[in-house]
Amino acid sequence: MRPDRKGPAGRHWLGRREVGIGVVLVGLAMLPFADLEVSTHDPWRHVSRFLAGFLSPDFNSIRSIAWAVVYTVAFGLVGVFIGSLAGLLLAPAYHLRPVRILAATLRAVHELFWALLFLQVFGPSAITGALAIALPYSGIFAKVYSEMLEEADRRPDEVLPPGSGALSRFLYARLPMALSPFRIYTRYRIECGLRSSAVLGFVGLPTLGFELDAFFKVGRYESVAAVLLIYYLMIATNRQWLRPSLIPVFLVAAFGLLITLGGPPFRMENLVRFLTEDIVPAPLRDASLLASSTWDQLSGWLDVLLSTQAFPGLWSTVVVTQMALAVTMFVALLGFPLIVARLVGKVPSISGHLLLVVGRSTPEYMLVYIFLQMLGPSMLPAIIALGLHNGAIIAHLLGRQADALTPTLRPDAPRGFNLYVYEFVPRLYGNFLAYIFYRWEIILRESAIVGILGVHTLGFYIDGAITEIRLDRAVLLIAVTVLATFAVDAIARGLRRRFQLSMNDLASREGSAIY
Amino acid sequence: MTTNSDRPRRHLAALAVAAVMSAALATGGPAMAQPTLSFSAIPNQDETHLLERFNKVAAYLQKELGVPVKYVPVKSYSAAVTAFKNNHIQLAWFGGLTGVQARLAVPGSVAIAQGIEDTAFVTYFIAHSSTGLSAKPTLGDDVKGKTFTFGSKGSTSGRLMPEFYLREIFKTDPEKVFSRVGFSGDHTKTLDLVSSGAYQIGALDFTVYEAALKAGKVDTKAVTVIWKTPPYPDYNWSIRGDVDKTFGPGFIKKVQDALVKMNDPELLATFPRTKFIPAANKDYQPVEDTAHLLNLIDG
Amino acid sequence: MTLLSLAGETIGWKEHDVLVGVDLSIQEGETIAFLGRSGSGKSTLITHLYRRLIAAGRATALVPQDHALVPPLSVFHNVYMGRLDRRSSLYNFANLVRPLRREVAAIRPILAEIALEPEMFRPVERLSGGQKQRTAIARALFRGGDILLGDEPISAIDEKQSAVVLDTIRRRFSTVLLALHDVDLARAYCSRIIGLRGGRIVIDKPSGKIERGEIEALYAA
């Protein structure tokens, strides 16, 4: 059901414009708490070496890079496939509260965190990589599929003979009606799966991130450039070679490849130990649950963990999130005109597209990693990278809508900057804000995850707990991340409702690309 | 263009194949006939060529032990411990701290060998020349306010012992001594970061530093050693207690002997050590105590 | 025997009442045409009658105005949906994955009768408007029963086809209630004509006794 409309937004004491400015102000208010130092001795040397690498990329390691591409595709496809099947099973039951909570939890945990957990049980194996993608994706699929089912035409279902079984009704009259948006969305998700898969290399799976990390560590920027160029080529051309009709073939090949990947054997006892010992808080392990001393120890354990890790980590995560969100807004607003031919001209808009493609198709983790190498470990590279990545995604969506608006402009519409400020920005502002609030929880999740790279957000402490082989702590800290994601999601949903920011008026493909 | 009528059928065929394959994937593929001894080493330095070098070590062990031996590369210190814990590897070249973590996680496992160098291991504190710091008998107040990097969070020489001594000397958290505290990930990276000035001071494994120096890979104009810690026990070969069940009684002793009599300089340079000598769990009690003190292990 | 009777009923579509004070009695075996301008309340009446008959447990088939087909599925599957209640979910699923020989054999003659057999395994989304409409009719024919309700079931079909379709319908169902726009067809095939205007029944006569002028008045502005 749609919420009651509360009349024009202007009647609130706070309008849409104020809320946008408010988000920027919150970002600015974080400045005193943010660690923005450029700690590299000579950042320009690193930047120039990195850029120089692109002038003479070194393809000598092409064999290992090629294999990494193959594994990136394999893990991406298998992960998305399993995730979409699971999402499809959950979607019809999505109206049930437990299913909704399950799906929200699955997607609130970033695939890298899933990977870190599964590595503890399955090692760097096919199962780890496939599940790390499949689990969060199943949560996303469940949500989006259920929305699509909700929106699909119900007439065929209504005229079915009374007494038809629920499953038959679903398979014959509900599912086929949503198949077309499913297909478009799933295809979009496959591309996301390729990106996620590449990033899993950073934690040890044999995908492109592994190669990138290895070359960066030894400072071979020419090889780094080669890996990145091949990565962009893979993403940019994926719709050409990964054709819908070929996907089943690719999928079978991917399963075959992953089965032969080798890796450590699966041992049931590891899974049992992980679930019954490793993630149980240390004070409760082998302790009498009736003794009050056990519970005292538990509260002490919690106290230390929360005060020295969870809260400081959460605060840093929020600081990075809010500042990155503000940067995202600037990048999106300043970036979208770059791809609007009416504003910048036909030829420049093509290079604008290229710029935004690089920004949005480079996974945020990879982008932060690259910026960290050059600027040193502070919040600065994380904020810039997250802002650029998310800003480029929104700029791309806005730019396409601006293009679609162009033919509807009046013949005597202003040109250039005036056109931008008088026509495009006001018309697109509602969607812009909606996107910002949709991206908010995603940026929070990303801010948490980049802690693994050394920024002191939640991921830093989670990685630390895993290094100390204290999975109980890691799981608790991940739970804190999940709760933070839920909180931000609830606030964002409230704001969207209050300011009537929905994407219902957008084509499903455009709208769903925001998740 | 494909006709729509055959689409559901083909999807279904792919689905069926994929389902079968998922099942195969879940069972872990074909089982191995003969038990293989898998071993690993913590990735404490430059990861390139690791495979090549350790495969030679695997070949040596296979010859000496008469069972298939496989080297399994790992991405991080904790991944080595986890693999040991999960019985994905049975033997590992651990650091002091990772060895303690691993043996605590697998009851019955034992430390069987260490390098001669490991009985009295040392951490070097190095500084970028722009700081103007020079070698002293202890760390002074002039390091305060500088930026500082450890190695891996799970490293003995790169984290545990330097943190221990920093706390002992300054009586406070490293975060309060330095303006910024980071974790480079490994010793080679620490050397790089201090050489480039990304961090002003760093702490690293002395064998890695000395090996880099010998290979001419240290920019001595940019980096100086400013302090050497007192000695402590470090790296060790540890093995799971249940290997005797898999490979026959006396297997642990056989592995120990094979390691101790390894004398090919090329193999030893992989670690880099001059010779391995027998070791026992109790040799690492000081490391365990320190880890408790810094609250890096439970119990 | 009386099949259904309404006495002074108000039939609403959501909050908005469309038909008021409807007095109507329908006998088993009748063939009735409902005539009237669009918006006169024909669809509402047909839908209402369908619900009443279903609630009364009568075997009733429906051809809705919007067809309510599932475009990505084949003609065969859309027609099969007419009997989705007769079989277990497992059987239905198997038939969805791969059309079962037995169901194909049952559906093929129905499609042959209305010249749709060549399109049997084509997805409905690739059919012409007339073919879609005939698919919806075939679904109702396959469903079977005593009564057929059709809301403009032949609006997109040419004259010759329409005659065939109406013949088939009349042969297979004992009671037929159709909303029609073609007055001549209505007079030719139906025994009784009910005219609607502004949400009221204004004509209710055997088709033989109806005057041309009465019908013209029905459609007048």
Side-chain angles (χ1 to χ4, degrees):
Chain A
M1 273 285 285
R2 250 170 179 286
D4 290 336
R5 300 225 159 207
K6 284 189 191 147
R11 243 187 272 153
H12 292 288
W13 63 273
L14 198 89
R16 285 181 173 189
R17 194 175 52 176
E18 284 75 11
V19 105
I21 294 171
V23 175
V24 175
L25 286 180
V26 172
L28 286 176
M30 296 291 162
L31 265 175
F33 309 103
D35 167 14
L36 299 177
E37 200 183 326
V38 175
S39 59
T40 330
H41 180 57
D42 184 2
W44 290 117
R45 195 174 65 111
H46 288 270
V47 175
S48 57
R49 276 184 62 197
F50 175 70
L51 292 179
F54 281 94
L55 296 180
S56 55
D58 171 9
F59 288 96
N60 276 324
S61 310
I62 190 72
R63 268 178 61 103
S64 68
I65 300 174
W67 272 110
V69 169
V70 170
Y71 279 116
T72 303
V73 175
F75 275 115
L77 279 181
V78 169
V80 172
F81 175 73
I82 299 174
S84 66
L85 274 191
L88 190 59
L89 290 178
L90 291 175
Y94 198 75
H95 58 278
L96 303 173
R97 208 181 159 83
V99 174
R100 238 178 11 246
I101 293 174
L102 172 72
T105 308
L106 286 172
R107 64 175 187 269
V109 179
H110 193 279
E111 48 270 22
L112 275 177
F113 283 149
W114 282 120
L116 285 177
L117 288 179
F118 290 130
L119 281 169
Q120 306 306 311
V121 186
F122 306 115
S125 62
I127 304 177
T128 296
L131 284 183
I133 296 175
L135 253 49
Y137 277 49
S138 67
I140 300 168
F141 275 124
K143 179 188 161 83
V144 175
Y145 282 171
S146 86
E147 281 168 4
M148 288 172 171
L149 281 171
E150 209 55 42
E151 282 161 23
D153 188 359
R154 282 174 181 276
R155 282 289 288 148
D157 183 41
E158 284 164 6
V159 302
L160 283 182
S164 305
L167 181 65
S168 297
R169 301 186 87 98
F170 180 76
L171 289 175
Y172 274 81
R174 302 283 296 129
L175 184 61
M177 298 307 286
L179 219 49
S180 169
F182 276 14
R183 218 174 269 148
I184 292 168
Y185 183 72
T186 309
R187 184 62 191 78
Y188 160 73
R189 269 285 143 196
I190 287 176
E191 193 175 316
C192 301
L194 295 181
R195 298 203 290 256
S196 298
S197 172
V199 167
L200 291 182
F202 285 99
V203 293
L205 289 153
T207 62
L208 279 168
F210 190 97
E211 300 291 316
L212 199 65
D213 186 44
F215 290 133
F216 253 121
K217 271 195 174 153
V218 294
R220 282 171 55 183
Y221 289 103
E222 291 77 17
S223 303
V224 166
V227 176
L228 281 175
L229 287 174
I230 289 174
Y231 168 80
Y232 290 126
L233 190 70
M234 176 187 87
I235 295 291
T237 60
N238 83 84
R239 291 200 182 250
Q240 273 68 55
W241 49 268
L242 203 51
R243 293 183 172 280
S245 55
L246 290 178
I247 284 178
V249 181
F250 271 101
L251 201 55
V252 169
F255 268 100
L257 184 73
L258 292 189
I259 286 168
T260 59
L261 175 60
F266 173 72
R267 289 180 205 275
M268 198 58 192
E269 65 262 31
N270 291 335
L271 184 58
V272 172
R273 188 208 57 224
F274 175 79
L275 293 173
T276 60
E277 286 176 39
D278 289 353
I279 64 170
V280 176
L284 296 184
R285 265 179 239 153
D286 308 317
S288 159
L289 294 185
L290 296 173
S292 67
S293 63
T294 305
W295 298 102
D296 289 345
Q297 278 174 15
L298 182 70
S299 88
W301 177 87
L302 258 179
D303 198 35
V304 169
L305 195 55
L306 291 180
S307 65
T308 64
Q309 303 199 1
F311 291 141
L314 185 59
W315 174 241
S316 299
T317 306
V318 169
V319 170
V320 171
T321 303
Q322 292 313 127
M323 295 189 66
L325 195 63
V327 175
T328 299
M329 294 176 79
F330 281 105
V331 173
L333 279 185
L334 297 178
F336 89 78
L338 295 182
I339 62 169
V340 181
R342 176 73 180 251
L343 284 169
V344 294
K346 189 113 194 125
V347 177
S349 78
I350 292 170
S351 39
H353 267 294
L354 199 68
L355 210 65
L356 293 188
V357 163
V358 169
R360 71 197 157 89
S361 66
T362 313
E364 68 287 350
Y365 190 82
M366 219 189 259
L367 213 53
V368 174
Y369 184 95
I370 293 169
F371 278 77
L372 264 169
Q373 301 296 319
M374 292 181 268
L375 301 178
S378 72
M379 291 180 180
L380 185 65
I383 293 166
I384 298 177
L386 292 181
L388 281 179
H389 175 72
N390 290 289
I393 289 174
I394 297 176
H396 169 74
L397 293 173
L398 292 177
R400 287 189 31 179
Q401 288 160 26
D403 262 339
L405 277 179
T406 302
T408 69
L409 293 173
R410 59 197 159 88
D412 60 340
R415 308 199 149 267
F417 184 71
N418 285 333
L419 178 67
Y420 172 70
V421 289
Y422 275 88
E423 294 280 351
F424 285 133
V425 174
R427 284 167 189 258
L428 297 173
Y429 188 72
N431 285 344
F432 163 72
L433 267 193
Y435 290 146
I436 287 293
F437 290 136
Y438 273 103
R439 273 328 270 192
W440 195 3
E441 67 158 299
I442 297 172
I443 294 178
L444 180 93
R445 213 160 51 205
E446 292 171 348
S447 301
I449 201 78
V450 299
I452 298 176
L453 295 171
V455 188
H456 285 31
T457 59
L458 281 161
F460 176 80
Y461 298 99
I462 292 167
D463 182 53
I466 283 175
T467 306
E468 292 163 18
I469 324 287
R470 287 161 150 171
L471 305 183
D472 50 344
R473 294 178 176 219
V475 168
L476 186 95
L477 291 169
I478 289 175
V480 170
T481 314
V482 170
L483 291 178
T485 310
F486 284 2
V488 162
D489 183 42
I491 299 170
R493 219 172 328 132
L495 286 170
R496 284 200 304 266
R497 196 172 306 146
R498 170 151 190 183
F499 296 101
Q500 297 161 24
L501 304 168
S502 79
M503 298 185 301
N504 286 356
D505 43 356
L506 302 174
S508 60
R509 176 180 169 172
E510 292 281 332
S512 55
I514 199 71
Y515 292 115
Chain B
M1 209 159 135
T2 58
T3 60
N4 268 18
S5 54
D6 63 358
R7 191 190 281 155
R9 209 172 304 160
R10 199 171 47 202
H11 273 218
L12 208 86
L15 213 100
V17 174
V20 170
M21 294 205 156
S22 318
L25 197 68
T27 57
M32 253 167 277
Q34 201 186 355
T36 300
L37 179 73
S38 299
F39 81 100
S40 193
I42 52 168
N44 62 342
Q45 48 181 323
D46 184 347
E47 281 175 46
T48 50
H49 311 303
L50 221 53
L51 196 66
E52 197 181 309
R53 275 152 39 200
F54 273 102
N55 278 341
K56 288 185 184 155
V57 177
Y60 167 80
L61 287 174
Q62 180 157 332
K63 196 180 86 220
E64 292 293 320
L65 301 173
V67 300
V69 177
K70 196 174 104 193
Y71 165 68
V72 178
V74 291
K75 188 83 185 148
S76 65
Y77 281 43
S78 59
V81 179
T82 301
F84 191 76
K85 188 174 158 187
N86 287 338
N87 202 5
H88 295 152
I89 57 171
Q90 294 76 41
L91 173 72
W93 173 241
F94 282 125
L97 176 59
T98 40
V100 166
Q101 288 173 329
R103 292 190 301 270
L104 283 176
V106 184
S109 54
V110 284
I112 51 172
Q114 60 184 347
I116 288 189
E117 292 86 342
D118 295 304
T119 53
F121 211 81
V122 170
T123 294
Y124 283 180
F125 279 71
I126 56 172
H128 189 256
S129 54
S130 66
T131 60
L133 295 168
S134 57
K136 294 219 178 90
T138 184
L139 290 177
D141 282 351
D142 48 1
V143 305
K144 283 190 179 167
K146 302 280 191 293
T147 60
F148 172 80
T149 185
F150 289 114
S152 160
K153 285 174 190 164
S155 166
T156 310
S157 55
R159 198 264 172 101
L160 181 72
M161 298 316 289
E163 178 168 350
F164 172 75
Y165 286 114
L166 283 170
R167 286 177 186 277
E168 201 177 64
I169 293 168
F170 295 105
K171 310 281 178 227
T172 182
D173 299 343
E175 286 78 12
K176 292 185 179 129
V177 176
F178 301 107
S179 62
R180 175 192 301 283
V181 174
F183 293 91
S184 71
D186 68 56
H187 302 295
T188 314
K189 193 80 193 165
T190 303
L191 183 56
D192 280 352
L193 289 174
V194 178
S195 304
S196 75
Y199 281 98
Q200 291 171 305
I201 302 174
L204 82 168
D205 177 330
F206 84 106
T207 61
V208 173
Y209 183 85
E210 294 293 348
L213 194 64
K214 224 167 116 187
K217 286 185 183 157
V218 178
D219 180 359
T220 46
K221 278 202 288 288
V223 183
T224 25
V225 177
I226 59 165
W227 187 54
K228 299 173 180 178
T229 62
Y232 53 85
D234 201 347
Y235 289 79
N236 56 88
W237 283 100
S238 291
I239 193 163
R240 288 177 64 100
D242 51 15
V243 288
D244 276 359
K245 241 187 287 166
T246 321
F247 298 98
F251 188 73
I252 294 179
K253 182 78 179 81
K254 243 169 109 179
V255 177
Q256 187 178 40
D257 292 345
L259 291 170
V260 169
K261 75 176 201 212
M262 186 191 292
N263 56 13
D264 180 349
E266 196 197 339
L267 293 184
L268 287 164
T270 306
F271 296 95
R273 296 292 182 268
T274 48
K275 186 167 174 45
F276 290 119
I277 57 172
N281 288 3
K282 64 172 171 35
D283 296 340
Y284 294 89
Q285 196 58 46
V287 176
E288 190 173 337
D289 294 343
T290 309
H292 271 301
L293 210 63
L294 298 186
N295 191 24
L296 287 173
I297 50 180
D298 291 314
Chain C
M1 212 174 91
T2 306
L3 182 65
L4 191 75
S5 66
L6 311 177
E9 274 189 46
T10 297
I11 301 165
W13 187 248
K14 295 197 175 150
E15 304 96 55
H16 184 70
D17 283 349
V18 178
L19 293 159
V20 273
V22 179
D23 287 307
L24 182 63
S25 176
I26 297 171
Q27 307 301 310
E28 303 255 9
E30 276 194 295
T31 312
I32 306 178
F34 296 91
L35 299 179
R37 291 166 55 182
S38 62
S40 60
K42 288 178 303 195
S43 292
T44 307
L45 186 56
I46 293 277
T47 307
H48 180 75
L49 292 176
Y50 177 69
R51 291 202 178 131
R52 287 281 290 265
L53 289 166
I54 290 292
R58 297 300 304 247
T60 311
L62 174 73
V63 184
Q65 189 171 26
D66 57 6
H67 311 152
L69 297 168
V70 180
L73 293 185
S74 65
V75 170
F76 167 79
H77 283 120
N78 271 283
V79 172
Y80 177 77
M81 272 187 257
R83 286 190 188 173
L84 212 53
D85 53 339
R86 307 272 175 95
R87 297 288 190 170
S88 71
S89 289
L90 196 68
Y91 184 92
N92 289 339
F93 179 60
N95 187 54
L96 183 63
V97 172
R98 194 183 175 84
L100 300 171
R101 203 171 300 156
R102 171 165 164 190
E103 303 300 335
V104 174
I107 287 171
R108 191 182 297 278
I110 295 175
L111 295 179
E113 222 168 326
I114 55 173
L116 207 53
E117 196 194 345
E119 320 302 333
M120 189 160 181
F121 294 108
R122 271 182 84 186
V124 165
E125 61 198 356
R126 305 244 195 112
L127 301 182
S128 71
Q131 289 171 323
K132 282 180 186 159
Q133 194 162 45
R134 275 181 281 149
T135 305
I137 292 164
R139 182 177 61 194
L141 293 175
F142 185 61
R143 168 132 192 84
D146 318 323
I147 310 157
L148 179 121
L149 280 99
D151 192 352
E152 301 282 5
I154 47 169
S155 59
I157 307 176
D158 66 52
E159 226 171 288
K160 214 178 96 195
Q161 284 283 347
S162 294
V164 175
V165 166
L166 285 180
D167 271 340
T168 309
I169 287 177
R170 221 170 42 174
R171 213 170 49 243
R172 289 193 174 230
F173 295 90
S174 58
T175 310
V176 177
L177 312 176
L178 302 173
L180 289 176
H181 65 290
D182 187 319
V183 178
D184 294 334
L185 270 179
R187 295 172 79 149
Y189 282 88
C190 299
S191 55
R192 180 175 165 195
I193 287 183
I194 294 177
L196 292 150
R197 191 176 159 91
R200 288 177 186 280
I201 292 178
V202 291
I203 306 173
D204 186 352
K205 286 183 178 171
S207 51
K209 293 190 177 167
I210 209 147
E211 306 287 332
R212 184 159 288 277
E214 283 181 288
I215 291 179
E216 272 165 16
L218 206 55
Y219 289 95

